[in-house]
Amino acid sequence: MKRSLIILSVLVKNIKARGHDFTFGRYHSFVKLYGIEFELSISEKKKRIKIQGKYGSDYKSEPTGMLSIQAGENFYSKAWNDAKTVKLDSKLSTIIAWLEIEAEDERQREIKRKIREEERKKQERIEREKQELFQQELKAFNDLYKKSQLWHEAQKLRKYLRKFEEQFEVDDQLTKENIEMLHFGFQKADWLDPFTTSEDDLFSDLDPYNLLKNLNK
């Protein structure tokens, strides 16, 4: 225990002297380098001993007196152990160097991840704006097309009504009933025509374009 505390104290002092920080919890401690945290722990290595019991073989762990420092977790983990010739005390500079190199590498990876994430968001925004613009232009074009169709239909209807009126005059058939029919037709032509502002009380709830589509089915 005494040796562990001495080694950990020296390691902490040297890491702090290089401008890095420590965070100590109840069960874990972390070193923070360049904004990257690594879990850091020191423990005594154990060896597994086979023992013969009353009912067969069994195993127990036995302390070795050899210390081990573990840093990081998962893919970025590393352990340094006491050896017969080189003790852990002389490996502290190697541990600090590994921590700094790994932290810097992870920091660069984090920068690249953020750049990729920003690029992904940028592309999504471009695609979203492109889709919104597409929908806006599609609607605008659709409205233009509908108005064009309505204008042509209104012109066709007026042309027909004028021809009808001429024929009534030739046949001397400009009766009250036919005059009312022509008046009705011109009113409906004005209702169809997008360039006029004619209102139609009875047809107020109808879409003139959809009405023409249904009539042409």
Side-chain angles (χ1 to χ4, degrees), residues 79-94:
W80 296 266
N81 306 313
D82 270 335
K84 290 181 180 180
T85 55
V86 183
K87 293 298 182 180
L88 197 58
D89 314 55
S90 60
K91 298 180 181 180
L92 299 185
S93 59
T94 302

Side-chain angles (χ1 to χ4, degrees), residues 87-145:
K87 293 298 182 180
L88 197 58
D89 314 55
S90 60
K91 298 180 181 180
L92 299 185
S93 59
T94 302
I95 295 172
I96 295 172
W98 183 88
L99 287 169
E100 290 184 333
I101 291 170
E102 284 298 312
E104 177 60 21
D105 287 347
E106 178 60 20
R107 188 177 75 88
Q108 293 299 325
R109 286 191 289 267
E110 184 65 25
I111 290 172
K112 290 178 181 177
R113 281 194 292 269
K114 286 182 178 178
I115 291 173
R116 288 195 299 270
E117 180 65 13
E118 286 300 317
E119 184 62 28
R120 183 187 67 79
K121 290 181 179 178
K122 179 182 177 182
Q123 289 301 319
E124 286 182 353
R125 186 173 64 255
I126 290 172
E127 287 300 319
R128 186 169 58 252
E129 290 173 353
K130 182 179 178 181
Q131 185 63 25
E132 288 174 357
L133 181 61
F134 169 77
Q135 292 298 332
Q136 289 172 6
E137 292 198 356
L138 181 62
K139 183 180 182 303
F141 176 75
N142 193 42
D143 290 343
L144 282 174
Y145 175 78

Side-chain angles (χ1 to χ4, degrees), residues 122-178:
K122 179 182 177 182
Q123 289 301 319
E124 286 182 353
R125 186 173 64 255
I126 290 172
E127 287 300 319
R128 186 169 58 252
E129 290 173 353
K130 182 179 178 181
Q131 185 63 25
E132 288 174 357
L133 181 61
F134 169 77
Q135 292 298 332
Q136 289 172 6
E137 292 198 356
L138 181 62
K139 183 180 182 303
F141 176 75
N142 193 42
D143 290 343
L144 282 174
Y145 175 78
K146 286 182 177 180
K147 289 177 180 178
S148 169
Q149 291 295 101
L150 290 172
W151 181 79
H152 280 291
E153 291 300 324
Q155 295 301 95
K156 284 164 59 177
L157 181 55
R158 289 187 183 112
K159 185 176 180 180
Y160 168 77
L161 291 169
R162 284 193 290 269
K163 186 67 177 176
F164 215 169
E165 186 177 18
E166 290 174 6
Q167 192 62 43
F168 282 151
E169 289 178 349
V170 170
D171 296 338
D172 195 21
Q173 294 293 321
L174 276 176
T175 62
K176 180 181 178 181
E177 182 181 353
N178 286 337

Side-chain angles (χ1 to χ4, degrees), residues 1-9 41-47 62-70 78-84 86-92 95:
M1 177 67 74
K2 182 179 179 181
R3 183 167 168 251
S4 297
L5 292 174
I6 291 171
I7 289 173
L8 193 58
S9 176
S41 62
I42 185 167
S43 60
E44 183 180 6
K45 296 187 70 177
K46 304 264 173 99
K47 64 179 178 181
E62 207 171 78
T64 64
M66 308 289 278
L67 294 177
S68 174
I69 289 179
Q70 298 85 38
K78 177 111 176 130
W80 296 266
N81 306 313
D82 270 335
K84 290 181 180 180
V86 183
K87 293 298 182 180
L88 197 58
D89 314 55
S90 60
K91 298 180 181 180
L92 299 185
I95 295 172

